[in-house]
Amino acid sequence: MEVPQKGGFSFDLCRRNEMLVSKGLRSPSFLKTGTTIVGLIFQDGVILGADTRATEGPIVADKNCEKIHYMAPNIYCCGAGTAADTEAVTDMVSSQLKLHRYHTGRESRVVTALTLLKSHLFSYQGYVSAALVLGGVDVTGPHLHTIYPHGSTDTLPYATMGSGSLAAMAIFESKYREGMSRDEGIKLVAEAILSGVFNDLGSGSNVDICVITKGNTEYLRNHLSPNPRTYPQKGYTFSKKTEVLLTKITPLREIVPVIEGGDAMEE
Amino acid sequence: MYRLSLDVEQPHSMGTTIIGVTYNGGVVLGADSRTSTGMYVANRASDKITQLTDNVYVCRSGSAADSQVVSDYVRYFLHQHTIQLGQPATVKVAASLVRQLAYNNKAMLQTGMIVGGWDKYEGGKIYGVPLGGTLLEQPFAIGGSGSSYLYGFFDQAWREGMSQEEAEKLVVTAVSLAIARDGASGGVVRTVTINKDGVNRKFYPGDTLPLWHEEMDAVNSLLDIVPAASPEPMIS
């Protein structure tokens, strides 16, 4: 968007938009960019973190989705942007990496995943809307990269992406140190994601964490759940006209009873 | 209804300052380290001086994705070329490959580059490859959004046949001047010096750079002795 020449808001395009709508143009639907994803390098490897909210415009479509995707036993990738795009591109590259492992007989390297992802995204000129934080530990050491939808990459000791990236980066910039221990690293990553969860409208629900070290990966699904579903303490209240049959809240039955030797279905 | 429209959706670009100068015995390449997406600094410590071969490096500006892809392709072609040739590639060949990619894809690419290196035939050489894919051999080259503020500076400060120290000092001074004036340039200053003895990377953090007049610390400021202003509006 161009900055207006003189001070104040330029209403020129608003008049154009109204004119187009009056001629029958449907205004574009919302892009999903809601997410906070982060990664950092600590003493023994890499820690990735993500929130768990998936949005469709202003509606929360999934309150507990998984944004940390498996690429290889030693490589994981957080994805922000259009959910279909991040899923598809990480699945595709994960398959390519597996075939490559069979072909070479070696553990996958993070730069391999990086090159495969960036080439794919560049060839689609930014239309595959996937912004990724790729992290892993291979024979050459721990690596952390960010990948943008247009195909550019950065290599960083700590990184954030998504609509909550500014909130999370504020936490990282004030508290990150080189060579943190595992617990310190997890605490900082959780704090950064929480900053996105509570301050960014596009991020919310729980915190997922993935700790990757040489020879070992731990996926801490829902490491923190600071937004639990709550039920009213006193039960529900109704207006006087309502006929109340039952006020007890019973959980759904887990097991469906199977009737042995039932009749065959008949019309 | 509201839209979560943020600058982080914009493409990753390097509003930048990049410089390449020749000196008596080699070249010095310099760059800032800011990569921005819209108004947000996505990477405050990026490395815009990328290796193509042992003796040739390239400074990248413009679209981060486009410049990374072009330098990856050129590195690959140069690697093949070196194997076929049996000796290190010349700076001219490297620059020519960069130009061919930039010119033939001019409609789709938005990146300006400065190729610099040392080879045994021509010594230290700098080639500018701006938007559009021109190839121009120059004693010094400047590029990126911050270069606008350096044309006058170089007209006055550039000399033929400088020593290595003079050339490095010139590059660092120039990049820090551009950083002071250009919002899209910032972070640290990185330099790469290439000569017959090899390659030397240097890194200058923000606090080691010279300050320019509008940035100097206040000395004997009235703010030290006058009490803080009251929050109530003045009523006459």
Side-chain angles (χ1 to χ4, degrees):
Chain A
M1 277 296 280
E2 282 156 35
V3 178
Q5 299 286 30
K6 299 169 189 170
F9 185 73
S10 163
F11 288 90
D12 302 338
L13 286 177
C14 294
R15 289 180 57 204
R16 180 208 76 150
N17 292 344
E18 280 159 23
M19 184 270 290
L20 286 170
V21 166
S22 69
K23 294 204 170 165
L25 176 80
R26 202 174 58 83
S27 21
S29 56
F30 299 113
L31 258 181
K32 189 201 87 66
T33 50
T35 286
T36 309
I37 50 173
V38 307
L40 65 71
I41 296 192
F42 73 111
Q43 199 173 50
D44 307 321
V46 176
I47 305 178
L48 301 174
D51 75 303
T52 62
R53 174 179 285 184
T55 51
E56 261 174 38
I59 299 168
V60 176
D62 189 346
K63 289 182 275 192
N64 203 4
C65 72
E66 286 186 28
K67 299 188 190 183
I68 306 185
H69 307 284
Y70 168 88
M71 300 287 273
N74 58 321
I75 306 174
Y76 277 73
C77 186
C78 305
T82 307
D85 286 342
T86 57
E87 271 296 332
V89 87
T90 49
D91 273 356
M92 180 193 81
V93 171
S94 174
S95 310
Q96 288 176 343
L97 285 177
K98 179 135 204 192
L99 287 171
H100 194 247
R101 277 200 295 286
Y102 283 132
H103 192 76
T104 58
R106 288 174 169 77
E107 188 187 59
S108 294
R109 299 191 187 192
V110 182
V111 286
T112 316
L114 181 73
T115 309
L116 290 168
L117 285 164
K118 71 145 70 178
S119 327
H120 182 84
L121 291 174
F122 181 78
S123 59
Y124 282 90
Q125 287 291 293
Y127 286 101
V128 174
S129 179
L132 310 166
V133 172
L134 176 73
V137 180
D138 56 33
V139 283
T140 48
H143 297 278
L144 180 68
H145 301 282
T146 51
I147 309 167
Y148 288 81
H150 285 262
S152 56
T153 60
D154 284 316
T155 307
L156 295 160
Y158 54 94
T160 66
M161 295 281 262
S163 57
S165 63
L166 272 70
M169 186 51 94
I171 299 291
F172 273 168
E173 286 286 25
S174 62
K175 295 188 181 176
Y176 178 82
R177 287 174 302 107
E178 263 186 56
M180 282 190 286
S181 72
R182 187 201 135 93
D183 290 332
E184 288 172 328
I186 292 177
K187 188 160 167 286
L188 185 59
V189 165
E191 215 181 316
I193 299 289
L194 286 176
S195 164
V197 158
F198 291 120
N199 298 112
D200 173 43
L201 299 173
S203 310
S205 296
N206 314 120
V207 178
D208 284 351
I209 302 235
C210 186
V211 185
I212 310 171
T213 54
K214 189 168 148 65
N216 180 249
T217 307
E218 267 182 77
Y219 185 35
L220 306 170
R221 169 77 170 148
N222 289 359
H223 173 68
L224 289 175
S225 299
N227 294 300
R229 168 77 203 265
T230 51
Y231 294 91
Q233 292 288 68
K234 294 181 183 175
Y236 295 97
T237 53
F238 304 93
S239 63
K240 287 210 173 119
K241 292 176 198 166
T242 319
E243 189 186 338
V244 178
L245 298 171
L246 201 67
T247 53
K248 191 173 146 208
I249 300 166
T250 29
L252 295 168
R253 278 179 307 173
E254 298 277 339
I255 303 158
V256 177
V258 177
I259 305 162
E260 298 292 325
D263 291 340
M265 291 209 300
E266 283 177 69
E267 286 283 282
Chain B
M1 297 281 242
Y2 59 88
R3 197 201 147 130
L4 291 169
S5 75
L6 289 162
D7 286 325
V8 291
E9 294 171 37
Q10 301 226 5
H12 214 34
S13 100
M14 300 177 298
T16 289
T17 308
I18 50 173
I19 299 178
V21 313
T22 55
Y23 71 91
N24 181 16
V27 299
V28 179
L29 299 175
D32 73 307
S33 71
R34 178 171 288 186
T35 314
S36 43
T37 46
M39 288 288 122
Y40 177 63
V41 178
N43 189 350
R44 62 179 168 85
S46 37
D47 185 7
K48 302 182 189 180
I49 311 178
T50 306
Q51 185 182 26
L52 294 179
T53 69
D54 288 339
N55 54 318
V56 181
Y57 279 65
V58 62
C59 298
R60 303 177 289 112
S61 77
S63 157
D66 291 349
S67 67
Q68 280 179 12
V69 162
V70 166
S71 39
D72 284 348
Y73 268 113
V74 172
R75 193 182 309 121
Y76 165 62
F77 293 141
L78 277 176
H79 190 198
Q80 285 182 328
H81 173 72
T82 306
I83 291 169
Q84 290 166 345
L85 195 64
Q87 58 182 21
T90 58
V91 189
K92 186 184 274 191
V93 165
S96 193
L97 286 170
V98 171
R99 181 272 306 269
Q100 278 186 22
L101 280 173
Y103 180 75
N104 291 330
N105 297 293
K106 59 158 72 195
M108 289 165 299
L109 292 175
Q110 205 172 31
T111 167
M113 283 167 283
I114 296 176
V115 182
W118 185 95
D119 58 53
K120 67 182 186 193
Y121 299 105
E122 304 261 7
K125 283 289 179 191
I126 292 285
Y127 291 86
V129 184
L131 254 53
T134 325
L135 178 63
L136 197 52
E137 200 257 296
Q138 301 166 293
F140 71 89
I142 55 179
S145 57
S147 65
S148 318
Y149 308 100
L150 297 176
Y151 285 98
F153 173 73
F154 269 90
D155 282 343
Q156 177 258 325
W158 160 261
R159 280 180 306 106
E160 192 73 43
M162 287 185 286
S163 72
Q164 182 177 329
E165 286 77 29
E166 287 173 329
E168 282 178 0
K169 189 153 176 286
L170 177 68
V171 166
V172 173
T173 308
V175 178
S176 50
L177 275 169
I179 287 174
R181 289 291 180 181
D182 179 32
S185 300
V188 304
V189 177
R190 294 190 195 274
T191 63
V192 174
T193 307
I194 313 173
N195 51 33
K196 66 170 171 36
D197 302 319
V199 176
N200 199 352
R201 268 190 174 277
K202 288 209 176 105
F203 162 78
Y204 300 84
D207 52 1
T208 61
L209 299 174
L211 285 174
W212 306 107
H213 66 275
E214 78 284 358
E215 296 174 310
M216 280 199 283
D217 292 328
V219 172
N220 285 336
S221 163
L222 282 175
L223 292 170
D224 294 334
I225 54 175
V226 169
S230 133
E232 268 99 52
M234 297 205 296
I235 305 165
S236 55

